[in-house]
């Protein structure tokens, strides 16, 4: 288990599980399932944000906090940017200690490492670029698992590696299947600066990979031939991961929201571009100026896109029509002058009694504005649910349903199977700090329980992500010293 630091102290049993209401009051969320991408692993978790729509939702009922047990693993300083689940439910993750990167296969119940594969490290001159390791959003932090259980990983060498995951109970290790060199298809920069291929997803047809770089390049790679086409977003950078649907690629820059498609030769076409208020400056706790959210798709091709802007004095949740990028509705969020998010939006399309779309979409937004100095996070409280409702005349209205005063700084997730939203943050203790999994009710915004993950620096997750096992009953959080899991135990 992770060392609790020399400042560890005994924690009273009544502070290990703090329950605000009895088990059994959980209410699943009737929803229209996210359409399964034919060339990605199952929607139970194939990338950092779970599926091709980046919904950050899971079908399974995750940890209810019933007599929970905790496990953790560490290899020293370093954590997991992304965890995915192969067809057998094994964990596939990329571990990094700031410079080195390693693809790992783990037992989802014991966290035992089963296999590993070394990825290209960051160059020795990385720190000369002026980017601190915990502010890095480039290669190695994101990957996706495809429909053949292959990890498709953008690397720090500006390549895409396709790596086969071992079969369960196999003595074989990871196998590099193919590598695509994109080093000449990024923004040219003077030494020691270097553009980074940070995100890769497959086109819906499976014929092309699409990628984006932090410097503002959008590209296609023909899967068979390796032919590359690029488009540069002049004067713009890309900070966040993108989404893919049947109708194209949805990418947000620090200035605008885009939908892209391609012609038969792979040439990239801009279907629409919708600018947003990028604010006067970079906000406290944010990596860059501009929207801090990844792209979240809600519904099918007739649905919407959910993002936030970076406006002052309050950011806004924006719902854009997916077909043409038109703004449908906007809602201001959180306290004036202390409003901002650098984390993606959770999104769900509600279903009626017949399982069809009810015309209601919900988005959950986290406030993490704050003077955050590694490893001490000081985000403002705030977690809001916003609903977009289609009116009889075809127009839309949106409104805030509730706001919780819970705090979170990482990528949070929701279980549709039990209607709980999962956060991870510390309490107000000083030495050592105690870190808790927190469950919030999707319907009411009330806190359901807090379960102690551990105490001490090792359990700090510092903007890491939470993941939920597809079989249910388990929640994981990355930490700056590894990984911690919360698992229900039968009464």
């Amino acid at each position: 288990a992770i060392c609790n630091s020399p400042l560890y102290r005994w924690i009273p049993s009544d502070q290990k599980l703090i329950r605000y209401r009895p088990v059994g009051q959980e209410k699943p969320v009737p929803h229209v399932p996210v359409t399964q991408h034919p060339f990605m692993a199952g929607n139970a978790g194939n990338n950092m944000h779970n599926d091709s729509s980046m919904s950050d939702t899971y079908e399974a009922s995750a940890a209810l906090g019933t007599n929970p047990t905790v496990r953790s693993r560490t290899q020293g300083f370093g954590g997991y940017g992304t965890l995915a689940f192969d067809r057998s439910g094994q964990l596939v993750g990329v571990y990094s200690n700031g410079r080195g990167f390693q693809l790992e296969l783990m037992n989802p119940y014991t966290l035992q490492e089963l296999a590993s594969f070394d990825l290209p490290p960051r160059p020795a001159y990385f720190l000369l670029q002026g980017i601190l390791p915990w502010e890095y959003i480039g290669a190695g932090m994101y990957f996706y698992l495809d429909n053949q259980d292959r990890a498709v990983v953008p690397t720090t060498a500006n390549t895409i590696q396709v790596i086969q995951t071992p079969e369960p109970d196999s003595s074989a290790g990871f196998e590099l299947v193919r590598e695509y060199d994109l080093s000449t298809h990024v923004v040219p920069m003077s030494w020691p600066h270097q553009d980074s291929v940070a995100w890769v997803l497959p086109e819906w047809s499976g014929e092309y990979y699409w990628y984006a770089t932090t410097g503002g390049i959008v590209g296609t790679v023909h899967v068979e031939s390796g032919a590359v086409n690029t488009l540069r977003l002049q004067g713009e950078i890309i900070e966040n991961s993108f989404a893919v649907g049947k109708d194209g690629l949805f990418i947000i820059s620090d200035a605008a929201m885009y939908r892209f498609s391609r012609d038969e030769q792979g040439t990239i076409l801009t279907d629409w571009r919708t600018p947003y208020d990028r604010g006067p400056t970079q906000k406290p706790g944010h990596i860059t100026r501009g929207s801090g959210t990844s792209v979240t798709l809600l519904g099918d091709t007739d649905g919407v896109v959910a993002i936030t802007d970076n406006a002052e004095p309050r950011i806004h949740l924006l719902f854009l029509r997916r077909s043409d990028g038109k703004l449908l509705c906007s809602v201001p969020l959180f306290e004036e002058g202390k409003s901002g998010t650098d984390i993606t939006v959770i999104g769900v399309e509600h279903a009626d009694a017949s399982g069809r779309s009810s015309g209601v979409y919900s988005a959950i937004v986290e406030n993490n504005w704050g003077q955050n100095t590694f490893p001490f996070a000081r985000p403002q409280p705030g977690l809001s649910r916003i609903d977009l409702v289609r009116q009889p005349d075809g127009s839309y209205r949106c409104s805030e349903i509730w706001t919780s005063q819970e705090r979170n700084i990482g990528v949070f997730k929701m279980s549709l199977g039990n209607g709980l939203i999962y956060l991870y943050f510390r309490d107000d203790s000083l030495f050592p700090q105690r870190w808790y999994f927190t469950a919030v009710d999707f319907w009411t915004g009330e806190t359901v329980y807090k379960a102690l993950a551990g105490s001490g620096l090792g359990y700090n997750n510092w903007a890491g992500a939470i993941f939920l096992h597809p079989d249910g009953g388990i929640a994981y959080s990355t930490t700056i010293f590894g990984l911690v899991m919360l698992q229900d135990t039968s009464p």
Side-chain angles (χ1 to χ4, degrees), residues 287-299:
I287 294 175
T288 62
R289 178 183 171 188
S291 174
T293 54
S294 300
V295 180
T296 302
L297 303 181
L298 294 88

Side-chain angles (χ1 to χ4, degrees), residues 138-414:
M141 301 305 295
Y142 296 82
F143 75 94
Y144 80 88
L145 205 62
D146 74 6
N147 61 324
Q148 301 178 56
D149 279 348
R150 300 181 303 182
V152 182
V153 188
T155 77
T156 57
N158 279 330
T159 66
I160 298 173
Q161 290 190 347
V162 182
I163 305 164
Q164 182 65 57
T165 299
E167 293 288 336
D169 303 319
S170 168
S171 60
F174 287 101
E175 179 186 358
L176 179 62
V177 177
R178 185 161 182 183
E179 186 167 19
Y180 301 85
D181 185 359
L182 301 177
S183 58
T184 59
H185 302 286
V186 298
V187 176
M189 297 181 178
S190 58
W191 191 92
H193 300 285
Q194 177 180 304
D195 192 15
S196 176
V197 177
W199 304 277
V200 177
L201 285 177
E203 185 179 88
W204 205 263
S205 70
E207 189 177 352
Y208 284 82
Y209 294 118
W210 284 72
Y211 75 91
T213 76
T214 53
I217 290 284
V218 178
T220 63
V221 183
H222 192 272
V223 171
E224 294 298 326
S225 70
V228 178
N229 285 275
T230 63
L231 172 69
R232 183 172 181 181
L233 308 182
Q234 293 292 338
E236 301 176 23
I237 64 172
I238 301 173
E239 179 198 355
N240 296 290
S241 57
F242 56 87
V244 58
K246 301 173 187 176
D247 43 348
L249 269 289
F250 295 81
I251 291 180
I252 189 168
S253 75
D254 64 338
M257 179 68 218
Y258 293 85
R259 192 185 81 182
F260 296 104
S261 59
R262 62 164 179 87
D263 63 16
E264 293 183 358
Q265 289 71 45
T267 303
I268 298 170
L269 308 173
T270 303
D271 297 332
W272 51 258
R273 178 184 188 272
T274 302
Y276 63 83
D277 187 343
R278 62 195 299 256
T281 186
Q282 178 179 333
K283 293 194 175 188
H286 289 206
I287 294 175
T288 62
R289 178 183 171 188
S291 174
T293 54
S294 300
V295 180
T296 302
L297 303 181
L298 294 88
D300 209 333
T301 54
D302 59 349
V304 298
V305 181
I307 58 171
T308 65
D309 62 17
N310 195 47
E312 286 286 11
R314 303 169 74 188
I315 63 169
H316 300 81
L317 176 65
L318 309 177
F319 290 102
L320 309 179
R321 190 160 58 196
R322 188 162 157 174
S323 60
D324 59 8
K326 178 183 177 181
L327 178 65
L328 297 176
C329 208
S330 170
V331 177
L333 301 169
F334 312 124
E335 180 183 349
E336 288 192 5
K338 295 181 179 181
S339 170
T341 190
D342 218 26
I343 298 296
T344 189
V345 170
I346 292 176
V348 60
E349 179 183 21
H350 292 253
D352 59 21
S354 64
R356 299 187 183 90
S357 176
S358 65
V360 178
Y361 304 92
S362 290
I364 316 296
V365 189
E366 166 194 327
N367 187 17
N368 48 52
W369 186 101
Q371 304 295 337
N372 305 320
T373 305
F374 184 85
F376 302 105
R378 307 174 185 86
Q380 287 294 303
L383 184 75
S384 291
R385 172 185 161 187
I386 309 299
D387 280 9
L388 176 74
V389 181
R390 185 171 59 240
Q391 305 300 302
D393 63 359
S395 64
Y396 286 88
R397 291 182 183 175
C398 51
S399 59
E400 181 180 293
I401 304 302
W402 51 255
T403 291
S404 162
Q405 291 303 300
E406 291 292 349
R407 290 182 294 167
N408 191 68
I409 195 176
V411 178
F412 59 131
K413 300 295 175 72
M414 182 168 78

